[in-house]
Amino acid sequence: MPEIIDSLQACLLFSAVDRGYLISIEPQLKTIHLDTGDKVYNAGEQVPGLFVIVQGAVRLNLAFLEAYNPFVTVVRAGKFFGDHYIFDDKPCLATATCVEPTTLTLLHTELFLKVFREQPSVSQRLAHILALSCRNMSQVYGCDMTQGVETRLLKLIRHLHHIQNIPSDSDAPFTINYSHNELADMIGLTRTAISKPLRKWKEKGWI
């Protein structure tokens, strides 16, 4: 279908890929038609690959933060999503919901990794995009990805303290309403890495 190939070429990630190559992988692409309100995937599920929006729009939100501060992104035609979960097998943190009738092209993980290996322009652009994502995450949570575990975790907790509107001079221990895995994923760490400082701070009565 020419419109599917056109939509891939209109997407920044694939714009430098030869059209003939895209046509060669077209039989392996999956086209998905969804209505307003339909879920592409839910938080906690495995994301099957990379989605490119042919038409329509999809809202991505971090469900476990929604009660305090809805971290929402709306992705529209020509954009893609799902890239954060291509390289690890963890469940996703975001829920993806169509905000209008939407057509998506899905590159299953195995196919996308094949394209990633064979097309240097795709791997270079994705590396750049993910680097920008890390920078944005650092700005949102007030932490530098090069900082130590305790510093990054402390800045995250201060940020969560702030968005829950808790007075800065409160002497009460801060209640963390997130799992170890959720906290670790927010700042690019593992559950094991953050368990020790959390345990230490709990013993001190800080949390």
Side-chain angles (χ1 to χ4, degrees):
M1 298 174 65
E3 62 268 25
I4 298 300
I5 302 303
D6 291 344
S7 69
L8 289 179
Q9 289 198 301
C11 176
L12 174 65
L13 192 58
F14 301 102
S15 60
V17 177
D18 180 74
R19 188 176 181 87
Y21 180 88
L22 296 177
I23 291 173
S24 74
I25 66 169
E26 185 177 6
Q28 301 174 70
L29 303 175
K30 182 178 181 180
T31 301
I32 303 170
H33 301 285
L34 298 169
D35 291 323
T36 303
D38 285 350
K39 297 287 194 299
V40 183
Y41 52 76
N42 291 295
E45 297 178 352
Q46 296 290 335
V47 177
L50 184 90
F51 294 90
V52 177
I53 302 181
V54 179
Q55 62 181 19
V58 174
R59 183 181 69 245
L60 307 174
N61 69 291
L62 296 175
F64 59 84
L65 282 177
E66 190 171 13
Y68 302 113
N69 189 16
F71 283 56
V72 175
T73 299
V74 175
V75 190
R76 300 189 179 277
K79 304 296 184 180
F80 62 92
F81 61 97
D83 47 301
H84 291 80
Y85 308 104
I86 290 288
F87 299 103
D88 75 49
D89 57 359
K90 292 182 179 180
C92 66
L93 298 176
T95 295
T97 307
C98 297
V99 296
E100 58 188 71
T102 298
T103 300
L104 304 171
T105 296
L106 170 62
L107 287 80
H108 283 287
T109 298
E110 184 177 341
L111 173 60
F112 178 77
L113 290 176
K114 175 178 181 291
V115 175
F116 185 84
R117 290 191 300 268
E118 295 177 352
Q119 298 293 321
S121 65
V122 173
S123 55
Q124 291 167 9
R125 291 185 181 189
L126 185 60
H128 177 68
I129 289 166
L130 292 178
L132 289 177
S133 178
C134 287
R135 180 190 295 270
N136 291 338
M137 186 174 73
S138 296
Q139 291 173 343
V140 168
Y141 296 124
C143 65
D144 185 332
M145 301 301 285
T146 64
Q147 292 173 332
V149 171
E150 290 198 11
T151 300
R152 288 159 64 180
L153 183 58
L154 180 59
K155 287 188 174 183
L156 170 63
I157 290 174
R158 288 177 62 188
H159 175 75
L160 297 176
H161 190 278
H162 172 71
I163 64 176
Q164 292 184 49
N165 297 317
I166 298 173
S168 59
D169 58 353
S170 173
D171 293 329
F174 175 50
T175 301
I176 301 176
N177 298 311
Y178 310 105
S179 70
H180 284 60
N181 286 332
E182 289 171 342
L183 291 170
D185 283 334
M186 287 184 216
I187 51 177
L189 293 170
T190 64
R191 186 184 192 282
T192 302
I194 69 169
S195 293
K196 184 177 179 180
L198 286 176
R199 185 166 56 250
K200 180 175 69 175
W201 297 342
K202 183 177 181 180
E203 290 171 354
K204 290 179 178 290
W206 297 349
I207 60 174

